[in-house]
Amino acid sequence: MAAPDWPPELKKRLLDLWVHEENGRVISVSEIARRLGISKNAVAGRALRIGLKRKAPAPVPVQNDIPNAKGPGAQMGRGAPERLGAIEYQPV
């Protein structure tokens, strides 16, 4: 079953929002869907079918990766659950 074609004005708005950036970042598919008044899956599916591509988002720094981080947990290393009071699972 073929997907129904979108109205031309909706296609244009999708293309405009797809390449638009706010604060140096592309708008998320969820946000585009909200602005168009349709589902996120409809936006993602249409983008896939018409061949729209996205550049990879910039990685978000993790608190522990920032040198000289301050605040709770800043000095804890990854993979140290015993410091967090975690209990190891013991099967019976």
Side-chain angles (χ1 to χ4, degrees):
M1 180 170 141
D5 201 23
W6 285 20
E9 62 276 358
L10 193 58
K11 286 182 191 177
K12 182 180 182 331
R13 286 184 61 206
L14 169 63
L15 294 172
D16 290 344
L17 290 170
W18 193 263
V19 298
H20 183 74
E21 290 188 7
E22 291 181 358
N23 301 321
R25 298 182 66 102
V26 294
I27 301 172
S28 71
V29 172
S30 295
E31 180 61 19
I32 291 172
R34 188 190 66 73
R35 291 181 187 189
L36 295 177
I38 58 177
S39 74
K40 178 176 74 168
N41 286 342
V43 171
R46 179 57 59 169
L48 179 68
R49 284 189 295 278
I50 63 176
L52 295 178
K53 302 278 189 224
R54 279 272 169 97
K55 63 181 182 181
V60 177
V62 178
Q63 180 73 18
N64 290 351
D65 292 341
I66 300 172
N68 303 320
K70 306 243 185 301
Q75 301 305 316
M76 283 196 228
R78 292 187 182 151
E82 64 277 1
R83 290 193 220 165
L84 301 174
I87 299 171
E88 187 175 324
Y89 175 72
Q90 296 292 329
V92 190

